[in-house]
Every structure is written in structure tokens, then in C-alpha cells.
């Protein structure tokens, strides 16, 4: 039985608690939050102890920690947990600064604790299926990856202002997905973007509509586009074109009903809410973490994957600001 | 070059003229119609001679006739054309009376002329593909055939009154399709029906909504349903369930566009007009006829297929009127 | 908080326990099973007491019982639970005998306890959506209901022998769905069937491939077909054709991936396992029961729905054996 | 009746002859080809005169010319036909050199003859439907256009060598489509490309896999990707994301059949052959030309559209070679 301590009892912490509840061989043994109430509520629900973050990390009853606190606290918690020898599951981004992530890598490597960066989309049943079929050679060499990713509606301007910008806040998932599917590191990044959804987003110095082109050393190409709005739900599609064929994943709709009328054949909108859209991905990523830690193998994606995605987001941001291509080492 | 004489220059005659125009190795050499104008128009367009029916059948410039005249004239024209040694392509139904079709079979068999009953749907690229894949064993033994067939809107009551009723006028296509796909003759027929679309159809003694169940000696089952209305276009679907899998054909839509809005994902309606829906089927059936006659082989479906479908329609009509199952020899 | 006692801790009992665990306002307070081990395991997992069935029904800590024991025990448990004033959630079929169900109706009506028959498919998000859109008038009057239902593979012969036959064991779900969607009682039933999947099923006196036609007083038609095999997964589709349009629900596939190769565009198979296919339906039906009991309203479907479906299954069985149409009062 | 003279009787000339044969109000009155045989064959089939190009352009029996000869002859024929006052339908590209197209624009404008550049894809029923729905405001302002375009297999190296390169030979269609759908001129072009399909293409100085990003002054973004191979047919998809929704067109498949087996649900491959894929587009573009000329209105796309697409292809080629973004005036 793996005893897990939850650092952060907000929305994402609760998601992870539910996932752990469905996994044999793991339980929530302790919870911590800056606020007493959510911590106590989650403790009641799961039968865990509500502790301070420090006590949780120090507890003998905790084998692994799930870090779901605000991003600026990750750095400190990672250092403490690693030094306490706990396995670490950390929400993305590991940190807003690539340099600080490099620091975290040092402590993780020095202590040798298992570390997983929570790029949950890699565990979506469809996206994971695509990656494993690429690995099985079903479409031969990958040539073109196309990622279309659109949120139902933009977050509040206050969120935008502290988000690090679209590339670090939203496209980072797609940049990680690109690496996951290309199987090769990008060597060039070109980004374009504009604020078409809400001029306030532009005034806040960010974009709400953007596209990135990545290339790899062997000549593979990846095109990503993002929008902060999609009237028809949470639009999340990927497609991989290879020498022998093509793999793609369509959106997940609200239900499987189609109505036929004089206007045509209409299916339901795409699921709107990310927690619902990625429900099985959240469950599967935690299952992978528990399994890897229990078998003393390394969970994946690891902390270096967290760094690489951040570097790509930084490069995209630079490309947009400079209006030119950014070459990566 | 196969010289074809068109008997009947109405809508269906014009369809066949266009098909012949696209087939290498055939041409329209003569046309005939009870009315002078449509005959002359078609003659001008195709470069054919406008003749009387009798002269056309007697013409040395005519190798084969296409009978597209009113149903009650088929019997006489089939006899004349067969006795003149012409290959015959005849619109369905061959005749409203099964006994009169049996008479036609006699003359066709006695003279040995090639004869094709124009069940065009057998030549629809999708339906033909299904049948050939069944024949190739792709789904093993056929177990359940499901046919859904709905017209966009009912014909005028005047047409209904002289149509022979839904089973002989509309479902006859599906009954032929059932035989085509079952690969075995039905031994029982059970029909239900009602007039839900237009009470005037009920007053005219017919139904506009109907369903039939067929069984075969080996235990295969076929369910057919018909409606004289479908708000979303001409609904024509078939599905065959077998021991190893299932084959089905979806509707043909007006175009391949999908719009996504807050209401969902909407494709275009199904094609409404039967001539457009079955355009390639009309072309392919005429191609098959020309090919078979040119190679001196027997076209299919033949005249016996015309009889069998009529017998099934008769049985369905009897079943509905009696409210009980009709057993076939 | 609604305290629920589980009678039966087998596969279906465990499903209901998981559902209850995800519902606010309900908990499993007691469990009972003829065997000690499964009862204790479920007690440990949920924090409930393991009791005898009698003690559970008599417990003051139990507000409602979930009956998931073998069918032949339902009668007795329903009587005891009703007399103890407990709300009852009962797996289908209520009983194999319509007369015994009528007895159960008497005790349920006499005691006034809430009673729900667990026709879980009514709570499938797609099927429920179709029914509610019919009720909203989106397709006008219902004209033709088509239900296609196929299991991935047949159960063992030993199960077949005690199953009551395909109509009572398998098609009963579709017969209930027909009533749910037609919104009107069937007045005639015609069934055909054969044993195409496994001759042993035929030797056991049952069929594995069957089709039923239902009609209602107003002329609505329903066609159902069943097979005990489907190579491509658990095939569960319904379609409702109405005066203004058509509503249909497609299968739920394993994932949303499509691969394109020279052979074409291939999606994943349909989900195979009924517990996975209907996972959300199980959750929703329990949610409805808890909600209805908590608000002192009547859950639906009720015990009379359990009787009606059984009567239709009996009629279908009679029709098949007699080879003729069965009229219902 | 519009009398049309065909310049060039090769494959594309024959396509246009068939289209004209299906259009009321037009006929092929004369044909010309550098080789006598194809000219005579087409003359026999259509009843047209076989003439020299000069005589055809000078013929009083010719109202309009269709230029389907090799690209390097367009310049001269356009000049002669314009000076002879003939309406002109010209295959793409108008010329390989943007400067020479500018010369052609001068003569076309000076003589005032109607001129249509044959970007046939604008007339595909699905793509045309998308453009008209954008124009109708169905998705509000256009934000992101995504174009995926892949040939079934690469042309011979000899063709590649004289093709002008992928951007001018293949992507030019997509660049025109981008202009058609964006409704606004691109102001920046960034291209990447590699030779993944066949190293010989790389040795010939071309790429076989490429992607382009376009931006417009108002901030709209277009992403295009091309491959010279697609194992599953001729892959031609477009998608337009707007403020109120999304419009997309899926591939046209060989037929509407789906087979379900243990491997999943498989539809047919996409149509492979461009003449079959765009059959209705070819018919519709000629219909538009005949209609515009007959009504003395300007056909569209015109010669300036031919220039703009060429300029974008030139810019993409420059961007690829320079490895940087190209700004357009």
C-alpha cells in the first residue's frame, strides 16, 4: 500500500484524491493546505490526516507526495520532499523559470527520488493509444504532427496577467505532446499570435490565438494552433501523419446521440470542462505514478520533460516577440 | 458498339440516355415515346432517330431496348422486343401482376434474349460493395439484415392510388435488396403498417409507415422498415450482421462539411432527390447491361428476380391485410 | 444521508457500491451475502457492517435496500423489505414469473415503499438524452423505433439453460427500452428466432438470434433485433424516427482514435464489457434512486415497468413458439 | 449557346470536354493539340472541328477558349486569344513567372476579355459551401484556417525537376484556398520543408513534406501542411475556426461502407485519383465560367488571383531557402 500525502487541497488536489480512491494499492494518508477548511474536508472524505506541509513531508506515514499547490511554491516543496526522500508527483509547470527547474533537477537527481511531471494528456486513452501505435511502427516514421487545441472560453484577465502567457500556460501541454509524438527534440520554433478573442488580453501583453511550427533534426514537422475560445466545447485533437499511414484522435463529445432534421445530422457539442474531458487521463496518470513508485521504476514524463516543455514555451514566446525563428541547440 | 433503342423518353429515359452517353461501346441509336416532343428532344441531344415503338423494335439499328414506359405497357413491349430478338433492359416493376410476369418469363426464355430487371440499387457503389464483401466471406455467414428506407416526402394521393401500394411501389426495392444480401429465398413474411404521415393515404387504402420481417430456411432474419417521410433527406441504409462482423452503408450526404457551434457538430442533410442519390447506381447498372450483352453473358438481376420481388411484395400486402404471417413455398 | 443496505455482494453489488461511493448524500451502511467472504470484503472497502440479510433488512441503520441477489430470491426479499418499510432498488428481472411480480406489486403498493426496477439502460446518457428530446417534441410524434442489441459473445450453456430464454434474459432490456421510447403500450408482438451462433443453444431450447416487431394502438412500430454475438464489441444502438426528424445513438467505442492506412479509416472496436459500456448508466440510475427516495418522490422505472417488460418477453416467447402474432390486451 | 474551343486535348482537356457536355448552353466547337491523334479523337467524340491553335483562336465559331496546354505555352496563347477577343479559361498556373503573369494581366485588362484562372478546388461542393457560410457570417470572424493536403504518392522525379517545386506545383492550390477562406491578403509567410518521402526529391532540390504559416494584417492565422504521400488516398481537408464556431470538410471516401470486425470499425480509403476526387469541382468551375461569360459578368477566380497565389508560392520558396520569415508588402 503506497501512502500518499496531498500538498494542496484545491480543485486539482481533489481530482487526484478521487483518482487515488479508485486505485488498488494506494491511499491518501495525509493532506495539507494553506487553508484549514479544504484540508479538513478532504481529510474527512478520505480518512487521511490533515497536517501542515512540513509535517506531511516529514511524516513516516507518507511515501509519496502529490504537489498541487500554486506554481511559485513548487520549488521549495520539491526541495523539501526530495530531501525527505519522498517520491514526487508534481503538477505542471514545475516552475515558471527554466533555471529554477534546472535547480530542481539537481536536487531530484542528487536524492534519486522518483519524480513525475503531471502532463496528464499523455495518459488520455486516445492520445496514449496513438503514441503506443507509433512506437509499434503502425504508421512507420512520423512526418507531420498536427495539434489543434482550443479552450471553450478565455480565463479572467486577472488570471491571464499572472499566467506567464499563452505559450507557458496553455500551449505547454501541446508542446509536451509534440515531443511525446515526434519522438525527437525540436530544433527550431516559430510562433505567431494575435488577440482576436478579447482585446483586453492583448492589452495585458498576451495573445489568445496562436500558432507554432516546430522542426526536428531529421526533418519532421509539427504544427500547433491554439485559441482561447471554441463555441462548441473543449477542442482537443491531434493527428500524426507517417510514412505508412495516419493516426488521429477526435474530440470527446457529451454523448453519442445524433439528431437528423432538415438542417442536417447533428451530434452533441464537445465536452466543455477539462476535468470531465480528461477524467480518465487523470485516473491513468496517477495509476502510472503509483505503479512506477511501487515497482521502484522511474515514472514518465519525468522532471526533464517538464524542463523541455518549458524551454519550448520560452522559445515560442521569444519567437513571437522577435517576429523570427528561434533555433534551439 | 451496342445500339440501344430507348422506349420512353420521360425522366427515367433521360437518365438512361445520359448514362449511355458516358459508356464506351454503346450509343442511343433510336428513341420512341407516346408524345412527339420529348422523343424529338432526346433524339436531338443524342443524335438518335425518333421512331414509333414498333419501328424502333423492328429496326436493324437497334440491338437492345431500354423499356422506360408506364408499367402497364411493359408486358406488350417485352413480348414484341423478345420476339424481335432484342436484348431487354426493363424498368421495375416488370408488371404489377406476378402472373403476367410469369408470361413474360416464358417469352424471354423461349426467345433466349438477354433480360435485365432494373433494380438499380444493387449497383449503388456502397450496396454492391457490401454484397461483394459478403460473397468474399468477410463477415462469414449472414445472420441479420436490417434495411431502413425512407422517402423525403410522400407522393401525391393520385400516385398512391395507382401505385399498387407501399409494398409493391416502395418496399419492392428493399425486398429485392433483402434477397440480394441474404443469398437465400425468404420462406416467411410478416408485415405491419399504418398511416401516420398522411391520413389521406390511409383513406386511399394504403399505408405510409411499414415494417416487414423475413426469415429464410436456414434461420437468417431480415427486418425492413419504410416511411414515406424523412425530414432530413432520402434515408437509405442497409446493415448486414454476420458471424465474423458487420457491414453497413450510411447515407450519402449533400456535402462533406461539418459545422461546430454551441449546438454541436452538424453535417449536411442526406441527398434528397433519388436521381442524385443513385446517380452512380444508374450509371453502373447500364454499364453492366451493356457489358453483359456485349459479352453475350446474362445480365443480373434477371427477369426471375423481378418476379421474386413482386411475389414478396404480394405476400407482404397479404400479411398486412390478414394480420398474420404468410408462409412461402 | 441515505443509508443503503446491499443485499448481494457479487459483481453487480460491487458496481452499486462504487456508484454509491460517488454520490453525495448516500453511503453503504450494511452489506449481506450468502457467502461470508465477498460480504466482508465489501464491508472493509466501504466501511459498512456485514450482516445477515434478515438483520440488514431489520436494521435501523438501513433506509433503503439494493437487491442484487439471484433472481429466485427477489420475491422473498421484496416482501420482507417492503414489510420493514425500506425503499427498494431491485435488479431486473424482478422475478421470472409475471404472476409472482404481480404479488410483489401488491406488497409494494400495500406498504407504499418506494420501488425502482433497475433497468439501467434508461439512464445511459445517450438513451436518456433521446427520450428527453422526444418528450421535448424535437422530432414530433414517434413513428418507428429501431433497436439493435448484440452481445459480444454468448454466455455458457449452463447459464442459457436457467436464463428463461433470450427474450426474458437479454431482449427484456430492449423491450423496456421500446416502452420507454414509444411512450405507448405495445398491442401486438411478433417474434422470430433461430440458433445460428451455437447449435448447443438450440439444443438447450433457446435461440441466439432473434427479432421482434411491436405495434401500438396508434400505429407506431418498433423493430428489435438481438444476437448473442458481435465480433466488434457490445453493440447497443437505438434509433427513433419521428414526424419531424430522427434521433439515434451510436455505439461507445474503446477510444477516439482513427487510423488511416491503404485499407481505409479504422476506429476502435465498441467497448466489450457491459460494466464498462454502461458505467455512467449505473452511476446515474443509483443517483436517481437516491435522489427520488431522499425527496420522497417515486423512482422510475417502477415495479409495474418490471411487470410490463416481463409480459412482453413472455409474449415474444409465445409468439416464437407458436409461429404467430400475439395480441396483448 | 456558347461555342468553346479547347486548346490542349490531353487529360485535363478531356475532363473539360466532358464537363462542357453536361452543361446546357455550351458546346465544344473546336479542338486543337500539338499532336493530331488526341485532337481527332476528341473531335469525333464531341462533334467539334480539329484545328490548329491559331485557326481555333481565329475561328468565328469560337466564343471562348479553354487553355489546357503545357504551362510554358500559356503566355503566348493568352496574348493571342485576348487580342482575338475570346473569353479565356486558363489552367493553373497561369505562368511560372509572376512577372510574365503581370504581362498577361496587362493584355487581359487592355482587351477586356473575361478571364478565369482554373483553381478548381474553389468549386468543390464542400469547400464552396464553407466559403459561402463564412460569407454568410455563420462562424463570425475567421481566426484560424487549417489546410491539410496530401497526395497519394509522389510524381516521377522527372516531373519534380520541371515542376517549379512543391510550393508552386502543389501548395499553390492551398495558398489560393487560404486567400479564398481568409478573405484577406497574407502579409507574412514562413515555410519549412524536408524530403522524407523520397531522398531523390531532395537531391532534385525540392522538398516532399512542407508546412507554411501565413498571417494577415488583422491577425488571422493560416497553417498549411503538404506531403507528397498518403497511404490512405488523396487527403484534402480544410478547417476554419471563427469566433462563433468552426467549419470543416472531411475527405471524400471511395464509398459509404463501414465494416466492423474485432479490429474495429473501418471505412473505405479516401478517393485516390484527383480527377475522381474533384469530379464535381471540375463540372462546377466550367459551369461557372459558361454562366459568367454568357451573362457578360466577370468569372472568379480571375487572373489577379492567379498572380497572388504565385506570389505566395514564390514567398514560401524564398522563406524555405532563407530559413526566415518573408514579409509581403
Amino acid at each position: 500500500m503506497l501512502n500518499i500525502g496531498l500538498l494542496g487541497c484545491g480543485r486539482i488536489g481533489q481530482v487526484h484524491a478521487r483518482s487515488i480512491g479508485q486505485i488498488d494499492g494506494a491511499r491518501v494518508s495525509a493532506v495539507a493546505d494553506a487553508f484549514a477548511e479544504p484540508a479538513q474536508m478532504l481529510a474527512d472524505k478520505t480518512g487521511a490526516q490533515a497536517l501542515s506541509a512540513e509535517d506531511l513531508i516529514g511524516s513516516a506515514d507518507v511515501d509519496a507526495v502529490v504537489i498541487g499547490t500554486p506554481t511559485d511554491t513548487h520549488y521549495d516543496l520539491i526541495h523539501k520532499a526530495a530531501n525527505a526522500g519522498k517520491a514526487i508527483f508534481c503538477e505542471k509547470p514545475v516552475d515558471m523559470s527554466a533555471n529554477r527547474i534546472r535547480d530542481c533537477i539537481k536536487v531530484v537527481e542528487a536524492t534519486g527520488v522518483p519524480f513525475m511531471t503531471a502532463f496528464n494528456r499523455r495518459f488520455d486513452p486516445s492520445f496514449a493509444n496513438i503514441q503506443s501505435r507509433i512506437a509499434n511502427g503502425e504508421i512507420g516514421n512520423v512526418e507531420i504532427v498536427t495539434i489543434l487545441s482550443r479552450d471553450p472560453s478565455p480565463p479572467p484577465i486577472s488570471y491571464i496577467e499572472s499566467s506567464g502567457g499563452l505559450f507557458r500556460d496553455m500551449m505547454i501541454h501541446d508542446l509536451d505532446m509534440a515531443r511525446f509524438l515526434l519522438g525527437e527534440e525540436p530544433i527550431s520554433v516559430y510562433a505567431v499570435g494575435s488577440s482576436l478573442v478579447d482585446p483586453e488580453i492583448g492589452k495585458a501583453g498576451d495573445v489568445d490565438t496562436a500558432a507554432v511550427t516546430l522542426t526536428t533534426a531529421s526533418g519532421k514537422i509539427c504544427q500547433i494552433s491554439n485559441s482561447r475560445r471554441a463555441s462548441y466545447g473543449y477542442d482537443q485533437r491531434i493527428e500524426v501523419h507517417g510514412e505508412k499511414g495516419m493516426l488521429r484522435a477526435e474530440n470527446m463529445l457529451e454523448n453519442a446521440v445524433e439528431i437528423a432534421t432538415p438542417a442536417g445530422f447533428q451530434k452533441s457539442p464537445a465536452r466543455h470542462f477539462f476535468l470531465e474531458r480528461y477524467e480518465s487521463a487523470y485516473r491513468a496518470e496517477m495509476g502510472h505514478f503509483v505503479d512506477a513508485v511501487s515497482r521502484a521504476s522511474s515514472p514518465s514524463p519525468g522532471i526533464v520533460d517538464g524542463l523541455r516543455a518549458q524551454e519550448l514555451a520560452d522559445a515560442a514566446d521569444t519567437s513571437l516577440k522577435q517576429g523570427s525563428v528561434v533555433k534551439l541547440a
Side-chain angles (χ1 to χ4, degrees), chain A residues 10 14 39 43 75 83 88 96 104 126 143 159 189 203 218 278:
Chain A
Q14 291 166 35
Y75 182 94
N83 285 319
I88 301 170
M96 278 300 184
C104 292
S126 296
E143 296 173 351
Y159 176 91
V189 179
K203 285 183 199 158
S218 75
Y278 283 114

Side-chain angles (χ1 to χ4, degrees), chain A residues 308-320:
Chain A
R308 292 286 171 265
Q310 201 70 17
E311 288 171 339
L312 289 174
D314 289 348
D317 201 59
T318 302
S319 171
L320 177 69

Side-chain angles (χ1 to χ4, degrees), chain A residues 37-48:
Chain A
E37 200 182 274
Q40 195 55 51
M41 272 181 61
L42 206 51
D44 290 349
K45 212 163 167 179
T46 60

Side-chain angles (χ1 to χ4, degrees), chain A residues 3-325:
Chain A
N3 289 316
I4 299 179
L6 289 184
L7 295 163
C9 300
R11 190 164 62 174
I12 195 68
Q14 291 166 35
V15 166
H16 294 315
R18 268 199 297 279
S19 295
I20 294 166
Q22 294 177 267
I23 294 167
D24 293 336
R27 68 182 189 105
V28 181
S29 60
V31 299
D33 198 276
F35 299 91
E37 200 182 274
Q40 195 55 51
M41 272 181 61
L42 206 51
D44 290 349
K45 212 163 167 179
T46 60
Q49 282 181 288
L51 303 173
S52 70
E54 284 66 27
D55 289 351
L56 185 152
I57 289 171
S59 166
D61 259 3
V62 167
D63 304 314
V65 296
V66 167
I67 303 180
T69 51
T71 301
D72 56 8
T73 67
H74 290 184
Y75 182 94
D76 190 45
L77 293 171
I78 289 169
H79 278 75
K80 285 178 177 157
N83 285 319
K86 307 299 187 193
I88 301 170
F89 175 104
C90 183
E91 270 308 313
K92 70 92 214 167
V94 175
D95 193 275
M96 278 300 184
S97 145
N99 274 333
R100 281 163 59 95
I101 300 179
R102 288 184 193 104
D103 283 350
C104 292
I105 290 178
K106 281 180 202 153
V107 71
V108 166
E109 292 186 342
T111 56
V113 296
F115 188 103
M116 180 164 167
T117 306
F119 283 122
N120 59 301
R121 293 186 194 175
R122 292 193 180 203
F123 296 90
D124 174 75
S126 296
F127 300 166
N129 179 269
I130 285 180
Q131 196 275 338
S132 94
R133 291 166 84 172
I134 292 171
N136 289 343
E138 291 192 35
I139 59 167
N141 287 330
V142 167
E143 296 173 351
I144 304 172
V145 172
T146 308
I147 301 176
L148 302 171
S149 174
R150 298 164 191 155
D151 286 348
S153 51
I157 296 296
S158 58
Y159 176 91
I160 292 279
E161 284 165 346
S162 63
S163 69
L166 179 141
F167 300 108
R168 292 187 190 89
D169 177 61
M170 179 179 177
M171 197 183 282
I172 193 165
H173 276 116
D174 306 304
L175 294 166
D176 178 65
M177 187 56 62
R179 291 183 64 246
F180 185 53
L181 298 173
L182 286 168
E184 199 181 332
E185 295 299 332
I187 59 165
S188 80
V189 179
Y190 174 67
V192 297
S194 43
S195 106
L196 302 176
V197 175
D198 184 351
E200 293 302 315
I201 292 176
K203 285 183 199 158
D206 199 3
V207 293
D208 50 39
T209 306
V212 158
T213 305
L214 306 174
T215 61
T216 72
S218 75
K220 296 174 185 178
I221 296 169
C222 174
Q223 286 188 313
I224 302 170
S225 68
N226 275 187
S227 172
R228 287 285 195 185
R229 84 167 139 208
S231 71
Y232 46 91
Y234 191 27
D235 190 1
Q236 300 279 291
R237 287 170 288 152
I238 62 175
E239 161 172 339
V240 184
H241 181 255
E243 62 178 331
K244 295 184 190 162
M246 190 249 289
L247 281 159
R248 61 175 169 174
E250 260 300 320
N251 279 310
M252 291 182 69
L253 306 189
E254 287 176 2
N255 58 49
V257 175
E258 186 174 51
I259 186 165
T261 66
F265 291 81
Q266 187 168 59
K267 292 185 177 171
S268 76
R271 293 185 188 171
H272 270 71
F273 192 39
F274 76 95
L275 291 180
E276 192 189 315
R277 164 64 181 85
Y278 283 114
E279 183 188 5
S280 33
Y282 283 115
R283 200 155 45 187
E285 71 168 351
M286 189 55 72
H288 170 75
F289 176 70
V290 169
D291 185 57
V293 173
S294 302
R295 293 188 299 111
S297 71
S298 298
S300 171
I303 191 164
V304 174
D305 296 297
L307 175 63
R308 292 286 171 265
Q310 201 70 17
E311 288 171 339
L312 289 174
D314 289 348
D317 201 59
T318 302
S319 171
L320 177 69
K321 280 173 182 144
Q322 295 181 346
S324 61
V325 187

